[in-house]
């Protein structure tokens, strides 16, 4: 039987730990503060920023949204990120995407000091993660995948893990976190030959391609843990549904467990962002 992993319950468990950490910091006179820089009116981004604010409030974390509007210039965005990086009252910084078309995302992220880069956006953070250096945060999504696998008791050491997707936001940092847990990691992408065959080698399979139903029965080894990171809109904007990368019906009875979409990786990602912000506040306080 295939278990559906309850991402909301895992997020609640992470939230409880963060709340305790935040209370301990507050007792020492420190309230963690997350700054969210927004330069878009994308509805998905607006929804996510609201969710971040609500989660921060519930946990006692300060959340300051800096909305520059969708026409913000590169100079305004990079200037604000640099200012926040040197502001001692701010502990975590994220720059919401999408950015205005004229602003290269890498340019903005490079202005976020790695110690405050709680969503692992600065390429320097990814480099530090790859080098196994302390002091850098992985992206919240990659941290969420690792958290779910840990929570599910996945045996990673010495076992095969396959990540479908090689983006700097999900695929690469996730692969690095699994490698750090001593898994034997394969990264797949759009040019991978025999995707199903490679995925079938996985004890832990992470799907992060953004292609609905890409992963079916032929991709899953019996007993594998399957983490579905994909979120794609389906059925048009009025009906508003989302789908993951995994054809859950097809893998039921083959996988040991699978995360649902929605209600799997998403809620855990938001909580990892909160955890990183509390950790950054503690690190900055020395
Ligand atoms: P992305 O930048 O578009 O990267 C997608 C990756 O998937 C690329 O590496 C691409 O390969 C690969 N890919 C695409 N089609 C494929 C195929 N048919 N077979 C094998 N690989 C294929 O997307 P992303 O930012 O990594 O996000 C991936 C998904 O996760 C999206 O659905 C996104 O919405 C979702 N997401 C979820 C969360 C969350 O918290 N739950 C957070 C972030 C993203 P190439 O490199 O060869 O093009």
């Amino acid at each position: 039987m295939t278990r559906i992993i309850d991402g909301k319950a895992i997020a609640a468990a992470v939230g409880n730990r963060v709340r305790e950490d935040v209370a301990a910091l507050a007792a020492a006179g420190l309230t963690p503060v997350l700054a969210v820089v927004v330069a878009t009116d994308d509805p998905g981004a607006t929804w996510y920023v609201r969710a971040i604010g609500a989660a921060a409030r519930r946990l006692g974390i300060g959340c300051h949204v800096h909305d520059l509007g969708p026409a913000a210039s590169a100079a305004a965005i990079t200037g604000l990120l640099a200012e926040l990086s040197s502001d001692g009252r701010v502990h975590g910084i994220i720059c919401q995407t999408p950015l205005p078309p004229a602003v290269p995302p890498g340019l903005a992220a490079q202005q976020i000091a790695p110690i405050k880069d709680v969503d692992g956006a600065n390429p320097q953070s990814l480099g530090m993660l790859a080098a196994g250096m302390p002091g850098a945060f992985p992206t919240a999504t990659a941290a969420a995948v690792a958290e779910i696998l840990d929570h599910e008791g996945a045996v990673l050491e010495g076992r095969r893990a396959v990540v479908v997707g090689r983006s700097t936001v999900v695929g690469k940092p996730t692969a690095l976190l699994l490698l750090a847990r001593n898994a034997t990691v394969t990264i797949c992408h759009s040019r991978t030959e025999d995707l199903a065959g490679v995925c079938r080698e996985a004890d832990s399979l992470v799907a992060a391609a953004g292609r609905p139903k890409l992963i079916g029965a032929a991709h899953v080894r019996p007993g594998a843990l399957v983490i579905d990171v994909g979120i794609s809109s389906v059925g048009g904007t009025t009906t508003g549904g989302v789908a993951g990368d995994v054809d859950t019906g097809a893998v039921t009875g083959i996988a040991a467990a699978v995360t649902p979409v929605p209600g799997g990786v998403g809620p855990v990602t938001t909580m990892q962002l909160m955890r990183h912000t509390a950790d950054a506040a503690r690190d900055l306080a020395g």
Side-chain angles (χ1 to χ4, degrees):
M1 199 46 209
T2 299
R3 218 159 20 82
I4 301 296
I5 297 170
D6 186 347
K8 288 183 185 163
I10 298 172
V14 175
N16 287 338
R17 294 202 298 272
V18 176
R19 194 178 287 107
E20 284 171 16
D21 286 354
V22 171
L25 290 170
L30 179 63
T31 299
V33 169
L34 173 67
V36 182
V37 174
V38 183
T40 176
D41 53 9
D42 174 80
T46 307
W47 179 89
Y48 187 49
V49 170
R50 245 190 250 125
I52 291 169
R57 265 193 305 283
R58 284 200 302 277
L59 301 180
I61 291 173
C63 180
H64 301 165
V65 177
H66 302 261
D67 193 346
L68 299 175
S73 66
I77 296 169
T78 55
L80 178 58
L81 290 169
E83 194 184 310
L84 293 166
S85 287
S86 55
D87 185 337
R89 296 163 300 182
V90 173
H91 308 106
I93 302 169
I94 65 167
C95 182
Q96 185 59 49
T97 54
L99 288 167
V103 184
L107 177 74
Q110 281 172 53
Q111 305 305 317
I112 304 176
I115 197 166
K116 298 186 180 185
D117 185 20
V118 289
D119 202 17
N122 189 331
Q124 217 181 311
S125 297
L126 185 60
M128 289 167 78
L129 192 67
M133 289 167 69
F137 294 101
T139 63
T141 305
V145 172
E147 175 70 31
I148 293 170
L149 287 170
D150 289 347
H151 186 273
E152 291 300 308
V155 180
L156 293 164
E157 178 144 347
R159 301 285 180 86
R160 301 296 298 267
V162 173
V163 179
V164 182
R166 56 175 163 181
S167 73
T168 54
V169 177
V170 191
K172 282 177 187 151
T174 299
L176 290 170
L177 291 182
L178 301 184
L179 189 61
R181 284 162 171 74
N182 296 318
T184 300
V185 183
T186 304
I187 303 179
C188 299
H189 45 78
S190 65
R191 311 287 174 88
T192 297
E193 286 182 10
D194 187 17
L195 181 69
V198 178
C199 288
R200 243 184 354 257
E201 293 174 1
D203 299 293
S204 295
L205 175 62
V206 180
R211 299 283 182 275
K213 299 200 174 177
L214 176 67
I215 305 298
H219 299 73
V220 178
R221 169 191 276 198
L225 274 172
V226 180
I227 309 296
D228 190 354
V229 185
I231 306 176
S232 304
S233 303
V234 287
T237 46
T238 44
T239 47
V242 290
D245 287 354
V246 177
D247 183 344
T248 308
V251 308
T252 297
I254 305 172
V258 60
T259 58
V261 178
V265 176
V268 186
T269 297
T270 309
M271 280 305 152
Q272 291 299 331
L273 196 60
M274 300 300 127
R275 167 188 274 182
H276 291 172
T277 303
D279 289 349
R282 193 184 312 102
D283 293 350
L284 282 157

